[in-house]
Amino acid sequence: MDIASIGSILQTSLELGLISSLTVLALFLSYSMLGVCDLSTDGCFTLGAATGAMVALAGHPFLAIPAAMAVGMMSGFITGLLQTKMGIDSLLAGIIVNTGLYSVNIAVMGKSSLINLNKTTTIFSMLKDSLKGTALAEQYGLIIALAAVLLVVIFLGFFLKTRLGLAIRATGNNPDMVRSSSINPVFTTLVGLVIANSFTALSGCLLGQFQKSANIDIGTGMVTIALASLLIGEVFIRRGPIGLKAVGAVIGAIVFRIVYAVALRFNMPAFMLKLVSSVIVIIAISGPYLKKQMPLLMRRMAFNSEGK
Amino acid sequence: MLEMNNITKVFNAGTPNEKTALEDFSLKVSDGDFITVIGANGAGKSTLFGAIAGDYIPDRGSIILNNKNVTLQPSYVRARVIGRLFQDPMRGTAPGMTIEENLSLAAGSGGWLGSITKADRERFIEKLSPLGMGLEYRMTQPVGLLSGGQRQALTLMMATMNKPEILLLDEHTAALDPATAEIVLKLTKEIVERDKITCLMVTHNMQSALDLGNRTIMMDRGKVIYDVSGDERKGLTVPDLLNKFKEAAGAALDNDRMLLTK
């Protein structure tokens, strides 16, 4: 492998890693803080990509960003409402919303399952044009993704230390305690899911504009990939202030992309991405459990072999 | 003042597991009362607390707190004026968050987007130092690292940080080792007396039921069977209490834990 190809692998991994790290930060909020595994993530990611692409197609690449975030918020609000006010289990609520979003997304994309932005102005093409001739000309993707991630990480670092942020963290930790602090856990769950899903949709919106296309499958498997990234990130940064843990989630997303890119170099077919992410999630979640079970298993095996 | 009027609460109504936890239960609690509540397992003590705090909405009857009918109010709204400690020291605090973050949530000052200020920190340290547990030096450590006794003491501080109208203590020292239990009980007494907090405390320790507070109620099958205060209570001994139970309930008190701790 020559230096140039290593450089291009790194750049692509960084770009895609940073863009998808926004979804990882969404799960950092909903899964790690709120304790809700939000399975509407895939659909919400596509919703963000589809909405962003349609608005960009209409000639408003900047408006695409708040528009995508707003529809993400709505999706998160519905997922939250189902699980807090309508008695639907949180996993099921996510799956139901995810299924419903499939139709919504096709409708958003004008009854099509693919939108092409090749000839459309996107925020990436705009920055590319304005950087033309400078040293940073090829770094336009990196700059935008980095700016978005920085903003979200800084926001989370501050927000999770406010009273509302503390209440959201406590909701996943001990809802009884939230209630005894005179805060309604329904409210904190809703706010948490609304914010998280706005990040997921932002992530989808940026990926759509970056790739110059959005299709109905763009978000498929995102929840598992993001979860894998989140768990990889926890390996790197386990303790420390909340802002640092958010940085850990971003590192996890980038490391995941680098590992994936290297695997592709070694001739792993691209379609294996989702299987790999599944296996990472399985290992990361079952690992600590199995480690705890090991002594008992060893004793059983020793006992059985003595018996014979 | 707290007033419970003819409260009835039936669990699993219409099934073979039907259980009447509270039956036509009435109780008037005056401001500044410190009432100890005793009774066998299943007498309805915890259901009583659950009804006051809003975990359960009673099937019948009304709960009046400071001249306001709170019978149907959700628990998190009532929590503004009701402080509560459970037997399980883990229930009152969020283990993944730091001591100061837990205290900050309980203090509830500064609005939704406010964060912990220097003044808050000073106030928290002031609250924690008298405990003598060294918690004031560990403000940024997760609560999950504390022992059960420390967590219960912290919960007590959180529950009384803003003076509650009513403090509910549901066997809050029962899960602690005897030495720690004594410390937490002493703390409870000090805080309740200092701030003149109206307080109800469930205990299985008959002696502390008589030693603490100014009034004792004995419950059986969802009703008050004995209510004693004033001079009559002063001369009372544990054997007297057991006899009273036998008289009123028509059976000996067959609670091992209660008999063991007399």
Side-chain angles (χ1 to χ4, degrees), chain A residues 46-56 64 67-69 71-72 105 108-109 115 205 214:
Chain A
T46 311
L47 179 67
T51 309
M54 289 308 280
V55 178
M69 290 178 81
V71 288
N105 291 336
V108 167
M109 297 197 282
I115 295 173
C205 171

Side-chain angles (χ1 to χ4, degrees), chain A residues 32-237:
Chain A
S32 304
M33 300 287 117
L34 210 49
V36 173
C37 189
D38 184 2
L39 293 184
S40 71
T41 300
D42 290 8
C44 186
F45 188 89
T46 311
L47 179 67
T51 309
M54 289 308 280
V55 178
L57 206 58
H60 303 288
F62 281 109
L63 191 63
I65 293 170
M69 290 178 81
V71 288
M73 284 178 168
M74 280 191 251
S75 159
F77 184 75
I78 292 169
T79 313
L81 209 60
L82 293 184
Q83 55 186 277
T84 53
K85 284 287 182 191
M86 328 256 303
I88 298 172
D89 174 78
S90 71
L91 288 175
L92 191 56
I95 294 171
I96 292 170
V97 170
N98 197 45
T99 306
L101 280 176
Y102 187 88
S103 308
V104 173
N105 291 336
I106 299 258
V108 167
M109 297 197 282
K111 295 184 193 163
S112 149
S113 60
L114 175 74
I115 295 173
N116 199 318
L117 298 176
N118 267 331
K119 296 193 181 82
T120 311
T121 310
T122 67
I123 50 171
F124 292 95
S125 71
M126 286 169 80
L127 187 67
K128 190 181 181 182
D129 290 343
S130 60
L131 287 176
K132 204 164 257 174
T134 69
L136 291 169
E138 284 309 307
Q139 311 300 325
Y140 60 93
L142 213 52
I143 292 170
I144 290 176
L146 195 63
V149 170
L150 267 179
L151 282 177
V152 169
V153 167
I154 291 171
F155 169 81
L156 279 178
F158 278 105
F159 176 71
L160 289 172
K161 281 188 182 149
T162 64
R163 186 164 129 79
L164 181 55
L166 288 180
I168 286 174
R169 288 164 58 195
T171 306
N173 232 235
N174 183 353
D176 275 343
M177 181 261 190
V178 175
R179 256 175 238 116
S180 36
S181 310
S182 329
I183 298 166
N184 189 354
V186 169
F187 173 67
T188 51
T189 305
L190 279 174
V191 172
L193 284 177
V194 163
I195 296 177
N197 278 281
S198 76
F199 297 159
T200 305
L202 171 65
S203 184
C205 171
L206 290 185
L207 185 66
Q209 293 208 27
F210 182 61
Q211 290 184 343
K212 294 183 181 164
S213 75
N215 67 61
I216 191 69
D217 287 328
I218 196 169
T220 307
M222 264 320 281
V223 70
T224 314
I225 292 172
L227 213 47
S229 308
L230 186 66
L231 297 168
I232 292 173
E234 276 176 13
V235 174
F236 289 97
I237 295 174

Side-chain angles (χ1 to χ4, degrees), chain B residues 2-256:
Chain B
L2 172 74
E3 221 182 291
M4 304 189 76
N5 303 313
N6 312 92
I7 299 285
T8 297
K9 177 68 197 174
V10 181
F11 289 110
N12 307 313
T15 73
N17 293 323
E18 182 170 300
K19 161 109 182 117
T20 306
L22 291 174
E23 195 177 0
D24 203 23
F25 180 98
S26 295
L27 181 72
K28 275 196 171 69
V29 181
S30 312
D31 282 338
D33 262 358
F34 186 163
I35 303 179
T36 53
V37 183
I38 52 176
N41 289 337
K45 305 181 299 291
S46 291
T47 310
L48 166 66
F49 278 20
I52 297 174
D55 291 349
Y56 313 115
I57 305 297
D59 303 326
R60 274 193 299 279
S62 63
I63 302 171
I64 315 289
L65 186 58
N66 287 335
N67 301 320
K68 198 175 164 215
N69 189 334
V70 297
T71 319
L72 301 177
Q73 218 175 43
S75 61
Y76 72 91
V77 177
R78 265 183 247 189
R80 265 175 223 145
V81 290
I82 298 179
R84 198 175 183 193
L85 266 76
F86 299 94
Q87 181 175 349
D88 179 2
M90 308 300 153
R91 273 184 79 174
T93 45
M97 294 164 66
T98 67
I99 295 181
E100 63 177 23
E101 286 169 344
N102 271 276
L103 284 163
S104 160
L105 269 180
S109 52
W112 282 120
L113 296 180
S115 49
I116 306 173
T117 63
K118 208 175 155 218
D120 288 334
R121 284 200 179 90
E122 279 162 10
R123 183 177 169 216
F124 299 159
I125 289 173
E126 207 174 286
K127 287 267 172 197
L128 291 183
S129 316
L131 299 183
M133 290 176 167
L135 296 182
E136 64 274 23
Y137 306 115
R138 303 171 64 181
M139 298 297 276
T140 53
Q141 280 184 21
V143 167
L145 297 177
L146 306 185
S147 70
Q150 289 170 331
R151 278 182 80 163
Q152 202 65 317
L154 180 63
T155 312
L156 182 64
M157 287 303 141
M158 288 164 59
T160 55
M161 176 113 53
N162 305 311
K163 187 192 163 189
E165 305 281 352
I166 298 263
L167 181 63
L168 302 174
L169 307 168
D170 193 351
E171 287 195 70
H172 68 304
T173 60
L176 309 176
D177 67 82
T180 316
E182 202 170 309
I183 295 173
V184 173
L185 207 58
K186 190 168 152 268
L187 266 169
T188 311
K189 196 170 166 246
E190 280 168 13
I191 292 173
V192 168
E193 280 173 3
R194 185 193 64 205
D195 296 346
K196 298 185 180 58
I197 299 171
T198 310
C199 178
L200 273 81
M201 180 172 101
V202 169
T203 178
H204 270 109
N205 187 323
M206 302 283 248
Q207 193 59 54
S208 55
L210 290 174
D211 290 346
L212 289 167
N214 63 339
R215 182 176 165 193
T216 298
I217 61 173
M218 190 184 276
M219 286 181 70
D220 186 54
R221 280 170 244 172
K223 289 185 169 190
V224 175
I225 53 168
Y226 183 53
D227 184 345
V228 61
S229 58
D231 288 341
E232 190 191 347
R233 185 171 179 269
K234 275 178 195 141
L236 227 50
T237 62
V238 172
D240 290 340
L241 269 188
L242 292 171
N243 279 333
K244 286 285 176 193
F245 185 89
K246 209 169 170 181
E247 251 172 56
L253 192 55
D254 58 350
N255 184 326
D256 289 346

